Amino acid sequence: MENEAEKSPNGYEPKVVAFACQYCAYSAADLAGPTGLQYPANVRLVKLPCTGKLDVLYILDAFENGADAVFIAGCLDGNCHHVEGPLRAKRRLVLANKILNELGIGADRLGMYQMSGGESIRFVEAAREMTDRARQLGPSPLNQRKSAANE
Amino acid sequence: MTKDVLVRYQSEDGEIKTEAFDIVALSTGSEPAAKAADLAGRLGIELNEWGFCKTEKFNPLQTTMPGIFVCGTFAGPKEISETLAEAAGAAAGALQFLSPVAGSLSPAPEYPPERSVSGEKPKVGVFVCSCGEEISKVVDLDQVVSHAQRLPDVAYVEKVAYACDPDTRKQIAGKMNELGLNRLVMAACSPRTHESMFQELLRQAGLNSNLVDIANLRDQCAWVHVDEPEMATLKGKDLTAMAVARARLLEPIETYVVEPKKSVLVIGGGATGMSSALAIAQEGFGVTLIEREAELGGNLRRLYSTAEGADPQQFLKELIREVESNDRITVMLNTELVKSTGSAGDFRSTVATMVAGNGGSTETEIEHGATVVATGAVESRPGKYGLGQDDKVITQQDLEAVIAQHSERIKSANSIVMIQCVQPEDQAEAYCSRVCCTAAVKNAIRIKELSPRTDVYVLYKDMMTYGFREQYYTEARRRGVVFVRYSDDRQPDVRLEAGKLRVVVEDPILGERMALQSDLLVLSTSIRPAETNTGLASVLSLPLSREGFFLEAHLKMRPTDFVAPGIFLAGMAHYPKFVDECLSQAAGVAAGVAGLLSKDQAKFRGEVATVDATKCAACLTCVRVCPFDVPFINAEGVAEVDPKKCQGCGTCSGECPAKAIRLFNYYDAQVLAKTKALAGQFVKIGEVAAIGE
Amino acid sequence: MIIAEQKTLEEIKQIVAGYNKLLVVGCGTCVTVCFAGGEKEVGILASELRMARQMDGQQLETVERTIQRQCEWEFVDQLKDAIEDCDAILSMGCGVGVQGLAERFPTKVVLPALNTKGMALTVQEGLWAERCAGCGNCVLDKFGGVCPIARCSKSLQNGPCGGSVNGKCEIDPEIDCGWQLVYDRMKAINMLDKLYEVQEIKDWSTARDGGPRRINREDLRL
């Protein structure tokens, strides 16, 4: 299958994948527009029922499939619909960070943000911050190797 | 010119300071809506002196006109969660009049029989909605359409103007039928707001409601990338591909149907428990009210006046009489909950009643459809400032009794000192107990009424007599009560000298130490969670807050629910609050109970975790990580999740080292289908097992 | 249960260097429970290795399988259909599992991904600690159910050494002094006097020192 998403209109455009809890972050993202906020179109959300469902494999898979940065967007500690989702997610990120560093992709391409369902500004900040970071860091080394191999 | 805002103010030590700020936000407080008086006039209801709706302390949701209820900030400034509890409570009030006809205006819709899609190859219909021009003015939908046409298993793509329009939905359902489509992808707005609508569309098409995925092209694309149409179009194509990728792997969902038991277990026989029991009984349901003490009443038994001048003892007497004479309510005293199993609509609990004299207990089994936790909280008695060592040191609750029953002690006192914000040393979290400032102010006024010559000093950190209660603070000052501030690092010092109490406090405003002789020292001690909370939380598998109070489903939006369906929360078990606030919540709970039990069938969507017994290593991980204590190792030695109790968070499945637990709608293959679609990868149907499922 | 821990990515990368199609095999029992080699870890490690290879500008293909136990022939045989076109098998089982696969597939390269760490108990979620050293001659009756062989760093049988500080072992302040535990336990069950018995020098021939061990139950074998 042809991968159209890789062709960006103006050179390198980072691909940022966000795994978002449906109760808080997904709602915060939804409310950005109505509150007059904009964020880079580089971000694609994958909805999870709770950041407690996050699996290290999901993060790795996103990078393996071309993400230049990944972030997890969950509830605030102590205000999780499922009590301790973000606490679990943060523990799992410890392992994910270690793996990304070992691989040479770098843990700075992975972020975690916490917000309430109404804090669209927090989501927008997260989206901007991770997109900016991916721009500064350049394409994921995996993508660089891939395009080198294709040439 | 920096255009900063300069703020000039006097600091605590008297110094005049000027500081520059970028923004100054004024907390302006709230006032009655402009037309409140108009509306009140037309409805014939009275307003209070501040122009808010007039209510009574013990009937907080009732206006002065019978049959008209009030909720929210029309009756005074309040917090979101309070307004929601009140809204439910007001609805419950209205229901009492409507119970014979309740629900008759909302007939259940009829759907064609559901067609099984098992064994069928996915045949995806993609409907791309322009939302008028909301989406299409940013995202080039023609590109999205042609992209979608080339995605695997997509059999049909169509652009529509308003997918939410009933006629359009009917047409989409028709198309699904006509072409034998078995998966639906809506490239439209947010699933948060519209998923249920598209699920219903599938029911109309004779398909299982779960076979839809939504690409959020409006809220998460067009609306937020207005200035980047090219990138937004690229993203729109990606989101659509991601939705198609997952939709191919979607399975029909099962719904669990329970015929609810028409009775309720209310735990706690204080004002909250009793008034919710009454409201529930008035809705026509049976109630078992259990109370661990030997008599009903809880904290209200120790309250002799309210700041507003209402008579709690009179109210309590009347409430107990009503509860005891209601033939739908069974009261069990000296009784505690020891076991509870089952789920919303179908609980089975065991309660133990202490038998007087022999120290033994008898157990009773109760079947009920809902559970109400109204176990209250208690005034703490920390061993500070001589409490428990000298009978001249008492708590606010003790003072209530002294004022009501031993007023001579007040009249003979030359000086009474109160210390606010007294928290036990072992109290892990500092929090405000909400009611003690008003209690202190109220009791200070009572003292002045009984004995104007008695000096009253209130040593405080921050006086919080919020809402209309502020008037009592003003009145206390008018009557000569002296308020002295203290700070956390300079707490008051209390000594017993020659049988007299001497209280030394440093006033940070005067910058001087004051020594006060005191005949009576009253401590406003914190309200702490009941000691039984931990045990009860574990019996009912409910979460507690860090402070040890019961934790509601959502801090703002669901103040009287637990995440676990069928269990409700009211009163001080939740956190310290005033009687009227407790009563509003009690009424709100009655509405929640009615919503659940008044239906002949309660349905639960099976978006739950399931265990593949062949993979389970019985490692106990799920048992340990589930925030709701749902999974258990069953008699066959493998983990099991009760679908009626599972909250669908997926924490167990995220942690399971054997990948033996799958969360419906979030199978690894379904989640990974989205990330893989980003790289243009689509799994072959039938090879899904290789992805780790 | 047997506990094990994954080797570092760097080490596994070197171990699998030169092989282009790997069968990554998880084991569904002990190493699943200790989060070292169950189906979840198979997915993560396979993804890691593919990406690591990509970072070197090359390709690695992985086939992922998890069987219930790598130490049983019947389960191992379930891999037969998958081994044919793989260059090598990367076992995520314990040392027994790796050898189980190697014995069953004599012409295949079988490689280890884990280091086997012993026999342990789950102290809490995410923390496992050794409790048995498999010495072949159990002495737990003499020490109140606390094993001085496994839990004392020096396997002393006649009381603690001088390195016991505040109940902790001198080799690592995170490790309890085994003899402190023995003492506390004997005190709790009122058997302190039993500690006066002098233990003979241990005969280690029942342990690994006596050569590879086997158990032969004639009553179970046809």
Side-chain angles (χ1 to χ4, degrees):
Chain A
M1 164 108 342
E2 185 194 5
N3 180 12
E4 296 214 6
E6 288 218 332
K7 285 187 240 150
S8 67
N10 45 352
Y12 165 58
E13 277 297 344
K15 220 181 255 184
V16 181
V17 175
F19 292 97
C21 155
Q22 66 174 347
Y23 286 97
C24 45
Y26 197 90
S27 143
D30 268 1
L31 296 178
T35 39
L37 297 166
Q38 300 281 302
Y39 58 86
N42 305 62
V43 178
R44 279 112 177 94
L45 253 70
V46 177
K47 184 169 72 133
L48 293 180
C50 172
T51 46
K53 177 72 181 88
L54 180 73
D55 198 310
V56 171
L57 185 62
Y58 297 171
I59 297 169
L60 298 184
D61 197 74
F63 281 108
E64 214 181 330
N65 286 293
D68 297 295
V70 172
F71 69 94
I72 316 305
C75 305
L76 299 166
D77 289 353
N79 196 9
C80 165
H81 195 86
H82 300 111
V83 191
E84 51 194 23
L87 303 177
R88 288 273 160 212
K90 281 189 263 186
R91 299 314 299 164
R92 291 173 193 162
L93 248 56
V94 173
L95 176 61
N97 283 335
K98 176 174 167 275
I99 291 172
L100 292 174
N101 281 335
E102 281 174 354
L103 284 170
I105 293 171
D108 42 359
R109 291 182 185 271
L110 176 60
M112 164 112 192
Y113 298 86
Q114 294 176 268
M115 62 202 72
S116 74
E119 286 180 303
S120 46
I121 182 71
R122 286 285 299 136
F123 180 83
V124 168
E125 282 166 5
R128 286 187 187 145
E129 197 171 292
M130 288 310 293
T131 310
D132 285 351
R133 201 182 297 171
R135 270 190 223 287
Q136 279 160 19
L137 292 168
S140 152
L142 272 181
N143 296 341
Q144 294 176 30
R145 302 298 197 284
K146 236 187 285 177
S147 50
N150 290 344
E151 272 160 22
Chain B
M1 275 296 278
T2 57
K3 291 192 179 167
D4 282 345
V5 186
L6 296 183
V7 178
R8 223 170 136 251
Y9 64 97
Q10 185 175 16
S11 69
E12 237 164 44
D13 51 19
E15 197 187 331
I16 303 288
K17 289 185 175 171
T18 306
E19 252 185 283
F21 296 91
D22 297 318
I23 293 175
V24 171
L26 304 179
S27 290
T28 53
S30 39
E31 58 183 8
K35 292 193 172 163
D38 254 18
L39 179 66
R42 255 175 282 144
L43 289 172
I45 59 178
E46 289 175 41
L47 300 180
N48 65 18
E49 56 188 294
W50 297 277
F52 289 96
C53 184
K54 187 172 175 183
T55 59
E56 275 177 43
K57 183 76 179 172
F58 298 125
N59 214 345
L61 306 177
Q62 172 71 61
T63 65
T64 51
M65 175 73 83
I68 302 184
F69 296 89
V70 61
C71 53
T73 50
F74 181 34
K78 48 182 72 91
E79 214 266 333
I80 296 172
S81 62
E82 290 171 62
T83 65
L84 287 171
E86 288 186 358
L95 265 181
Q96 290 170 24
F97 296 95
L98 299 176
S99 53
V101 292
S104 59
L105 289 179
S106 50
E110 280 181 25
Y111 300 113
E114 199 177 295
R115 175 167 76 81
S116 162
V117 299
S118 82
E120 285 181 21
K121 198 176 169 310
K123 229 174 150 187
V124 186
V126 181
F127 294 84
V128 181
C129 178
S130 61
C131 191
E133 286 188 349
E134 288 293 317
I135 297 174
S136 55
K137 71 185 173 195
V138 178
V139 179
D140 180 347
L141 292 184
D142 291 333
Q143 282 195 50
V144 174
V145 167
S146 65
H147 185 64
Q149 278 162 342
R150 282 178 286 148
L151 296 170
D153 296 329
V154 170
Y156 183 75
V157 185
E158 185 186 327
K159 206 159 80 173
V160 296
Y162 285 106
C164 52
D165 172 72
D167 288 336
T168 309
R169 278 184 280 150
K170 208 176 276 175
Q171 282 162 22
I172 295 174
K175 228 11 165 203
M176 299 286 295
N177 255 327
E178 180 194 323
L179 301 173
L181 303 176
N182 57 21
R183 298 292 187 286
L184 173 63
V185 165
M186 298 300 309
C189 44
S190 175
R192 222 168 43 89
T193 49
H194 285 71
E195 190 170 48
S196 56
M197 182 181 279
F198 299 135
Q199 285 170 343
E200 213 246 337
L201 181 163
L202 284 173
R203 298 290 306 281
Q204 286 175 9
L207 287 165
N208 185 278
S209 65
N210 197 54
L211 304 174
V212 56
D213 197 300
I214 299 172
N216 192 342
L217 254 50
R218 190 186 69 178
D219 306 45
Q220 290 183 8
C221 193
W223 278 357
V224 286
H225 312 312
V226 174
D227 301 327
E228 306 178 83
E230 274 180 78
M231 284 292 288
T233 300
L234 210 56
K235 175 172 174 175
K237 289 195 279 188
D238 270 1
L239 292 180
T240 307
M242 289 160 80
V244 168
R246 178 170 170 273
R248 295 166 74 229
L249 304 177
L250 285 174
E251 292 175 2
I253 195 164
E254 271 184 67
T255 24
Y256 298 88
V257 177
V258 174
E259 191 181 323
K261 300 223 157 54
K262 309 273 181 182
S263 63
V264 179
L265 173 67
V266 176
I267 308 167
T272 308
M274 283 193 288
S275 66
S276 60
L278 260 184
I280 291 165
Q282 274 158 10
E283 289 165 347
F285 304 111
V287 177
T288 304
L289 175 66
I290 63 169
E291 163 58 49
R292 51 189 288 272
E293 290 188 37
E295 56 181 314
L296 293 170
N299 279 308
L300 201 57
R301 288 209 315 267
R302 293 177 282 275
L303 191 68
Y304 294 90
S305 66
T306 71
E308 294 82 357
D311 180 354
Q313 293 306 312
Q314 184 55 38
F315 167 69
L316 180 61
K317 232 167 81 185
E318 186 57 24
L319 187 59
I320 292 175
R321 194 192 57 74
E322 279 188 65
V323 165
E324 286 178 340
S325 62
N326 190 308
D327 50 16
R328 288 207 189 96
I329 303 177
T330 310
V331 177
M332 298 177 79
L333 299 172
N334 299 308
T335 301
E336 283 186 274
L337 181 71
V338 291
K339 196 178 154 200
S340 189
T341 59
S343 50
D346 183 21
F347 290 106
R348 209 151 301 181
S349 300
T350 309
V351 298
T353 307
M354 294 275 292
V355 180
N358 70 1
S361 62
T362 56
E363 294 200 340
T364 315
E365 279 231 346
I366 299 168
E367 291 187 357
H368 51 110
T371 309
V372 177
V373 176
T375 47
V378 291
E379 188 191 60
S380 65
R381 299 191 75 86
K384 279 184 167 177
Y385 302 118
L387 182 65
Q389 290 152 35
D390 192 302
D391 62 3
K392 289 192 284 301
V393 185
I394 61 175
T395 67
Q396 284 294 350
Q397 222 167 54
D398 298 336
L399 177 62
E400 291 269 336
V402 172
I403 293 172
Q405 290 156 0
H406 303 284
S407 55
E408 70 286 352
R409 241 184 118 181
I410 301 294
K411 286 175 188 153
S412 66
N414 292 319
S415 160
I416 296 177
V417 175
M418 298 184 184
I419 304 178
Q420 299 301 105
C421 296
V422 181
Q423 306 207 341
E425 302 281 2
D426 62 348
Q427 186 174 303
E429 303 281 334
Y431 56 86
C432 170
S433 289
R434 192 176 177 94
V435 297
C436 0
C437 285
T438 304
V441 163
K442 171 194 78 179
N443 286 334
I445 294 171
R446 296 288 172 274
I447 292 168
K448 283 290 189 187
E449 282 169 355
L450 283 170
S451 170
R453 68 166 197 96
T454 304
D455 291 333
V456 183
Y457 300 92
V458 180
L459 315 188
Y460 71 98
K461 291 200 289 194
D462 227 344
M463 285 310 281
M464 300 270 196
T465 47
Y466 60 92
F468 307 137
R469 297 168 182 89
E470 196 70 17
Q471 61 180 307
Y472 309 115
Y473 173 70
T474 311
E475 190 191 336
R477 295 194 66 145
R478 194 179 56 74
R479 286 175 181 266
V481 176
V482 180
F483 291 85
V484 183
R485 219 177 127 194
Y486 73 88
S487 60
D488 261 333
D489 48 339
R490 299 272 166 85
Q491 303 216 354
D493 181 58
V494 176
R495 297 228 174 111
L496 196 63
E497 284 173 2
K500 283 240 166 200
L501 283 167
R502 188 162 178 267
V503 182
V504 178
V505 60
E506 187 169 322
D507 185 326
I509 298 167
L510 299 174
E512 279 176 24
R513 282 153 63 90
M514 296 171 68
L516 307 166
Q517 295 287 342
S518 177
D519 301 299
L520 199 57
L521 177 64
V522 185
L523 306 182
S524 290
T525 57
S526 61
I527 308 291
R528 64 168 176 76
E531 263 163 28
T532 47
N533 280 9
T534 322
L536 188 61
S538 108
V539 170
L540 290 169
S541 295
L542 296 175
L544 294 176
S545 69
R546 264 183 291 192
E547 294 80 12
F549 293 97
F550 283 95
L551 186 65
E552 68 276 38
H554 193 279
L555 295 180
K556 299 284 179 208
M557 307 311 285
R558 296 176 65 192
T560 56
D561 297 343
F562 285 106
V563 175
I567 311 184
F568 301 88
L569 170 66
M572 294 223 290
H574 179 209
Y575 56 69
K577 44 177 84 79
F578 289 97
V579 185
D580 45 344
E581 295 167 341
C582 290
L583 297 178
S584 297
Q585 277 200 323
V589 158
V593 166
L596 176 71
L597 302 190
S598 60
K599 295 175 196 142
D600 292 332
Q601 291 187 327
K603 282 190 183 167
F604 303 94
R605 258 174 86 80
E607 214 161 78
V608 296
T610 48
V611 180
D612 177 348
T614 63
K615 284 184 176 180
C616 175
C619 68
L620 292 159
T621 299
C622 53
V623 176
R624 292 177 187 139
V625 302
C626 173
F628 308 103
D629 297 329
V630 176
F632 62 100
I633 305 296
N634 66 17
E636 277 80 53
V638 290
E640 186 176 325
V641 175
D642 181 346
K644 290 178 201 151
K645 281 188 173 171
C646 177
Q647 302 298 313
C649 65
T651 303
C652 57
S653 113
E655 204 84 321
C656 176
K659 289 269 173 220
I661 309 186
R662 328 198 300 171
L663 179 68
F664 191 86
N665 268 344
Y666 294 93
Y667 296 165
D668 279 352
Q670 294 170 336
V671 178
L672 295 175
K674 294 218 163 193
T675 42
K676 290 188 195 305
L678 271 181
Q681 306 286 326
F682 293 86
V683 291
K684 291 197 186 103
I685 300 296
E687 278 187 8
V688 177
I691 304 173
E693 297 275 341
Chain C
M1 106 190 118
I2 292 168
I3 54 164
E5 173 169 71
Q6 244 176 61
K7 289 174 174 291
T8 62
L9 180 60
E10 200 49 44
E11 195 182 347
I12 302 175
K13 260 168 69 181
Q14 281 166 17
I15 288 174
V16 303
Y19 302 106
N20 297 323
K21 187 165 181 186
L22 268 190
L23 174 63
V24 185
V25 184
C27 181
T29 309
C30 307
V31 293
T32 292
V33 177
C34 66
F35 286 73
E39 186 168 325
K40 181 190 184 74
E41 317 303 328
V42 167
I44 292 172
L45 181 62
S47 171
E48 279 183 70
L49 289 173
R50 287 192 303 268
M51 283 194 274
R53 192 62 70 83
Q54 229 173 29
M55 290 290 285
D56 294 337
Q58 292 161 351
Q59 293 287 314
L60 173 71
E61 206 182 321
T62 55
V63 178
E64 301 166 28
R65 294 285 285 271
T66 300
I67 57 175
Q68 192 162 342
R69 287 201 297 278
Q70 295 186 10
C71 54
E72 305 281 2
W73 306 134
E74 289 85 344
F75 292 130
V76 174
D77 284 347
Q78 293 169 356
L79 297 171
K80 271 185 179 155
D81 65 310
I83 60 164
E84 280 315 315
D85 54 337
C86 288
D87 307 340
I89 302 173
L90 180 64
S91 164
M92 295 189 74
C94 66
V96 181
V98 179
Q99 295 180 63
L101 301 188
E103 274 178 68
R104 204 59 173 175
F105 305 121
T107 59
K108 275 284 167 193
V109 176
V110 181
L111 307 164
L114 307 186
N115 292 322
T116 308
K117 296 279 189 167
M119 286 172 275
L121 171 148
T122 311
V123 181
Q124 64 173 87
E125 192 64 19
L127 179 64
W128 298 270
E130 187 169 21
R131 289 289 185 267
C132 177
C135 74
N137 184 12
C138 190
V139 291
L140 281 166
D141 57 315
K142 300 187 176 73
F143 303 102
V146 178
C147 179
I149 310 297
R151 305 196 67 185
C152 166
S153 300
K154 294 175 176 169
S155 297
L156 296 178
Q157 290 196 91
N158 287 295
C161 71
S164 177
V165 184
N166 296 328
K168 298 293 174 186
C169 176
E170 66 180 341
I171 68 154
D172 183 345
E174 291 281 298
I175 293 176
D176 290 323
C177 166
W179 267 96
Q180 181 75 48
L181 298 172
V182 171
Y183 177 86
D184 292 345
R185 177 82 182 132
M186 293 299 263
K187 190 173 177 189
I189 57 177
N190 236 342
M191 287 174 69
L192 272 181
D193 53 328
K194 215 173 168 193
L195 289 181
Y196 286 107
E197 282 172 30
V198 174
Q199 305 299 324
E200 302 271 310
I201 293 169
K202 189 171 172 71
D203 174 6
W204 289 99
S205 69
T206 57
R208 274 283 309 127
D209 302 41
R213 293 168 286 181
R214 50 189 253 149
I215 297 169
N216 182 2
R217 283 279 299 268
E218 296 290 355
D219 56 326
L220 299 175
R221 302 177 63 192
L222 271 182

